[in-house]
Amino acid sequence: IAQNTEFGLWASYSSPIWYSEQEHARLGFSKQKLFEMCHLIVGRKNGAVARTIPDMFNKTLVGIIGFRYGKIESQLSKTPQAGKIHGVRVKTREAAISMIVSERADYFLSSSIRFYWTIAQMNLSKNIFSIQTADAILPCIPIHAMYGAAASASFVAAIDRGIAKLYANSTIPK
């Protein structure tokens, strides 16, 4: 969107909702989102289908270490417990998907973009999975351009103008 050689300047993408008020003080976000990241509940093709949190009770949900899973977090238990979701954390999406494939977990909560990219990298077909939208559990998350505190006002303005142009020419759908 914009180029700048200013020392210490960086730009990436992320969601403002993933950061605390303190972190917002050192980060900046574009005025408009780039896209929305929606989530999936992935399970085995012939496994139980989950559309809501109670559907996952007494089952095992694998997640990624360091990721926050919203309102489902309060329902997770590190050990199997009746009326709870057994939560297991792994380091990578590949490990989480492997747990589903090998039947060591019932569900994996993943962003749709990351899930489909990862199974392509693993040479797996989506047809071996049961895939449901997770909107009832995790709402779609707005993803914005993000930049550090060193970003100048002109750099920030260039990012926002670039995104507005992408919306205007329908490169980014409204």
Side-chain angles (χ1 to χ4, degrees), residues 5 17 19 28-29 40 53 71 73 76 79 93 101 141 169:
T5 57
I17 67 170
Y19 298 91
F29 296 93
L40 302 171
I53 292 173
K71 61 186 175 182
E73 291 285 345
L76 298 177
T79 59
R93 288 184 301 280
V101 171
I141 296 170
N169 67 22

Side-chain angles (χ1 to χ4, degrees), residues 1 11-14 16 28-34 143-147 159-160 163:
I1 295 172
S12 186
Y13 62 92
S14 192
F29 296 93
S30 59
K31 291 179 184 175
Q32 292 183 299
K33 67 183 178 194
L34 295 169
I143 302 297
H144 292 253
M146 179 178 76
Y147 42 85
I159 287 175
D160 286 327
I163 293 171

Side-chain angles (χ1 to χ4, degrees), residues 38-42 50-52 109 131-138:
C38 297
H39 295 84
L40 302 171
I41 303 168
V42 178
R51 289 187 175 88
T52 65
L109 201 53
I131 302 168
Q132 309 294 319
T133 61
D135 298 346
I137 296 170
L138 274 178

Side-chain angles (χ1 to χ4, degrees), residues 64-68 89:
I64 308 297
I65 295 168
F67 279 53
R68 298 178 202 138
R89 302 288 178 133

Side-chain angles (χ1 to χ4, degrees), residues 115-125:
F115 172 73
Y116 288 116
W117 183 85
T118 303
I119 65 169
Q121 296 299 305
M122 295 174 73
N123 291 317
L124 296 173
S125 168

